Amino acid sequence: MTGALYLVATPIGNLEDITFRAVRILREADEIAAEDTRNSRKLLTHFDIHTPMTSYHEFNRYDKAKLLVEHMLSGKNVALITDAGTPGISDPGEVLVAECYTAGIPVIPVPGACAAVNALISSGQSTRRFAFEAFLPREKKERRTVLQELAEESRTIVLYEAPHHLAGTLKELYETLGDRSLTLCKELTKKHESFLRTTLSEAQELFREDEPRGEYVIVLQGKTAEEREMERKKSWEEMSIPGHVAHFVAQGMTEKDAMKAVAKERGIPKNEVYRELLKQKDAEETEEF
């Protein structure tokens, strides 16, 4: 029989946020794969856990994943932990999970703390739909592409950011997305935990003189229905009526249905749309003549 991979969530700050089950699994596993063994050693010592530990991180995630899979295929149970929170979320754990599925090894989640979820539910922003982006890319071209995509995102956006990059990121978000409501969640579950609901424009002012400290989760309002409607209205206001009809025809509508759609969007009679189309056709015929 093969062993299994246990994805064990660990505290993101407060050590009381580990579950009884997580402690039991970490004690019973044959091996613990940790993102940073020095950091995880403190956690294991605190809970009197003496299971052998090995490193599994960003720089060895492919080769080490294959080795760990071999261990599990031989019958060993491996518990995967990250520096803090739930493994597999914005960390190399996803590679090991994929390798386990390929090899037919059971993957068992052991739930617990997750910074993104705890920030979201405490933010006061909409929680019905959300997009988790983690850390924005550092490479300029890729970062610009992601920011442009986020500008069109209607779901609540959750981002991670380090204190020394926070002010610059808030500035970029404001310049690309415009002014939005957001909540800055700082040092979750730790002594100096705080939540500040503000706007992108106001948030920039906060850090002009005071340098941010601590790890942040940014929970940002998505593009509202009103914003999308205003943009859609602006796009057709810049078109002529015949151009608006042609836009819908290009999407596969018949000219008749396109005329109805244009009349509805502009709030004008269908006859007015028809007259504008006739004017354009007459003008085109005159030019040809």
Side-chain angles (χ1 to χ4, degrees), residues 81-123:
I81 59 175
T82 184
D83 281 349
T86 301
I89 300 293
S90 189
D91 80 359
E94 63 180 355
V95 174
L96 181 55
V97 170
E99 290 285 348
C100 285
Y101 272 93
T102 300
I105 295 169
V107 177
I108 303 169
V110 182
C114 176
V117 172
N118 281 280
L120 177 67
I121 63 174
S122 307
S123 67

Side-chain angles (χ1 to χ4, degrees), residues 147-284:
L147 284 168
Q148 289 170 349
E149 290 173 352
L150 292 180
E152 301 303 317
E153 179 59 68
S154 61
R155 296 169 293 181
T156 300
I157 301 162
V158 182
L159 300 164
Y160 290 160
E161 192 52 279
H164 53 288
H165 290 308
L166 181 65
T169 295
L170 291 173
K171 182 175 183 292
E172 285 181 287
L173 288 169
Y174 178 73
E175 290 172 349
T176 309
L177 281 67
D179 207 8
R180 299 267 185 96
S181 170
L182 85 160
T183 305
L184 292 172
C185 309
K186 174 185 173 183
E187 295 287 89
L188 291 171
T189 79
K190 299 176 184 177
K191 182 178 180 180
H192 298 293
E193 174 184 74
S194 66
F195 301 91
L196 175 63
R197 188 173 181 187
T198 180
T199 64
L200 279 171
S201 57
E202 291 173 352
Q204 290 181 84
E205 295 298 324
L206 293 173
F207 301 113
R208 288 194 187 278
E209 296 181 3
D210 298 329
E211 184 178 341
R213 296 181 179 180
E215 298 298 320
Y216 283 84
V217 182
I218 302 170
V219 185
L220 183 63
Q221 179 187 46
K223 179 179 279 189
T224 64
E226 291 77 12
E227 287 177 305
R228 296 196 301 275
E229 178 61 25
M230 285 178 63
E231 287 185 359
R232 187 179 64 81
K233 186 175 180 180
K234 183 179 179 181
S235 69
W236 62 250
E237 282 179 341
E238 294 172 351
M239 297 181 189
S240 65
I241 290 178
H244 200 172
V245 173
H247 169 74
F248 283 121
V249 170
Q251 292 180 353
M253 284 189 181
T254 64
E255 186 176 69
K256 183 178 179 181
D257 287 339
M259 289 169 59
K260 290 180 181 177
V262 169
K264 183 177 180 181
E265 279 204 346
R266 290 176 175 258
I268 59 177
K270 184 182 171 184
N271 287 343
E272 185 174 338
V273 177
Y274 182 65
R275 284 197 299 271
E276 290 297 319
L277 285 177
L278 284 180
K279 285 181 184 178
Q280 184 190 50
K281 290 176 180 178
D282 289 343
E284 289 173 352

Side-chain angles (χ1 to χ4, degrees), residues 27-136:
R27 286 175 177 161
E28 294 177 355
D30 296 294
E31 187 175 18
I32 295 173
E35 188 172 10
D36 185 334
T37 55
R38 292 170 300 178
N39 182 63
S40 297
R41 181 67 63 193
K42 300 173 186 177
L43 176 74
L44 300 186
T45 299
H46 181 85
F47 289 103
D48 195 30
I49 298 169
H50 303 284
T51 305
M53 186 163 47
T54 187
S55 64
Y56 177 76
H57 49 70
E58 182 70 19
F59 302 105
N60 70 354
R61 65 190 187 278
Y62 294 107
D63 293 338
K64 196 58 172 283
K66 295 185 184 303
L67 180 61
L68 291 170
V69 164
E70 290 178 8
H71 292 180
M72 287 179 274
L73 287 174
S74 71
K76 290 184 177 180
N77 290 321
V78 175
L80 177 66
I81 59 175
T82 184
D83 281 349
T86 301
I89 300 293
S90 189
D91 80 359
E94 63 180 355
V95 174
L96 181 55
V97 170
E99 290 285 348
C100 285
Y101 272 93
T102 300
I105 295 169
V107 177
I108 303 169
V110 182
C114 176
V117 172
N118 281 280
L120 177 67
I121 63 174
S122 307
S123 67
Q125 306 294 340
S126 173
T127 60
R128 191 177 73 84
R129 300 168 63 244
F130 68 96
F132 175 64
E133 189 59 42
F135 289 94
L136 290 171

